[in-house]
Amino acid sequence: MTKPALILTRPRLACTRFAQSLSPKLLSRVTLVISPLLQIEPVDTPVDLDGVGGVIFTSANGVMHGPDGDGVTAYCVGEITAEAAIARGWRVQFHAPDAARLVPMLVQHGPATPLLHLRGTHQRGDVADKLTQSGLLTHVVVLYDQKALPLTDAAQAALVSGAPAIVPLFSPRTAAQFADQVPDMANAIIIALSDAVAEALGPKEVRQLLVAAEPTATSLRFKLETAVDWNRLA
């Protein structure tokens, strides 16, 4: 019987990192298909840290395309982002699993301001606006763009093969892109990072829709490993 495809749609580096985190047993059960729906492209924007109380990273891409920290305070979304920031010399004060929880944590913490949100062109949550409205002046510096990409031929072929295709989706934007590019998702097992990601798929019928308990890659991976009915796919 044909193995189900595991289609990874994050930017290529994140796809590789996620694939490397999977167990050999799981990888032996699937045909891995790398098909990024986003390509990260740096923007040549200078970052002035003079007088800044701290920076906010909501993605490891912000860390990658930003300056070295030199001990400046950073607040992060996600453990991977925090680890990347530490490696670049930032002093990570704390991190939250998502932007929605980082904002109240920062408001409660009351950091020195102004803050800088170093991010991509596309973002959800209006972090800087919400913090500024809460009394923490926050500026935005855009360091990279997230260019939309089409699914690869291999991914398209897997989705119309008749065999199950397992598709982890990590953002509402990529979920909407995926739904736009795949008219028939009847054989797709979707694992969404959050309810917002699941909702972005729209009303299309899927074989199975699973949502991670927490909006983290670790939680999504756990859902992939434990909630998919692997015996029925074997």
Side-chain angles (χ1 to χ4, degrees):
M1 185 174 179
T2 304
K3 292 181 180 180
L6 175 61
I7 302 174
L8 302 185
T9 62
R10 301 187 82 185
R12 187 164 295 277
L13 181 60
C15 280
T16 300
R17 186 166 55 229
F18 185 76
Q20 290 173 342
S21 74
L22 300 176
S23 69
K25 181 179 179 180
L26 187 149
L27 288 172
S28 71
R29 289 171 157 174
V30 300
T31 298
L32 185 62
V33 179
I34 304 294
S35 180
L37 286 174
L38 296 176
Q39 179 173 300
I40 304 302
E41 297 185 347
V43 176
D44 188 16
T45 307
V47 179
D48 184 2
L49 297 175
D50 287 346
V52 169
V55 303
I56 298 166
F57 292 115
T58 47
S59 166
N61 291 309
V63 179
M64 182 183 303
H65 296 293
D68 290 335
D70 293 328
V72 174
T73 299
Y75 307 93
C76 301
V77 168
E79 190 171 339
I80 290 175
T81 303
E83 290 172 354
I86 291 169
R88 289 291 305 275
W90 298 94
R91 183 172 64 86
V92 175
Q93 189 75 23
F94 54 77
H95 67 274
D98 56 24
R101 275 177 273 192
L102 183 66
V103 169
M105 288 172 67
L106 279 164
V107 172
Q108 183 177 17
H109 177 63
T113 56
L115 299 170
L116 285 185
H117 183 191
L118 305 181
R119 63 169 178 83
T121 302
H122 301 274
Q123 62 108 36
R124 283 175 56 86
D126 298 322
V127 170
D129 286 346
K130 288 179 179 177
L131 288 172
T132 297
Q133 291 168 13
S134 298
L136 299 176
L137 179 62
T138 304
H139 302 297
V140 170
V141 178
V142 173
L143 297 179
Y144 59 94
D145 193 10
Q146 304 105 309
K147 180 183 176 183
L149 298 175
L151 286 164
T152 63
D153 290 345
Q156 292 280 14
L159 287 160
V160 299
S161 68
I166 304 166
V167 188
L169 293 170
F170 285 80
S171 75
R173 184 182 177 206
T174 51
Q177 284 177 243
F178 182 80
D180 285 344
Q181 295 185 40
V182 184
D184 183 358
M185 296 195 293
N187 287 317
I189 299 171
I190 304 293
I191 309 177
L193 186 73
S194 66
D195 288 333
V197 175
E199 290 165 5
L201 289 167
K204 289 189 176 181
E205 179 184 350
V206 298
R207 175 169 176 151
Q208 188 177 14
L209 176 60
L210 304 167
V211 179
E214 289 285 328
T216 65
T218 298
S219 182
L220 188 148
R221 183 175 65 247
F222 181 77
K223 185 69 71 171
L224 169 63
E225 293 173 344
T226 62
V228 173
D229 190 349
W230 292 102
N231 290 329
R232 292 186 64 184
L233 300 183

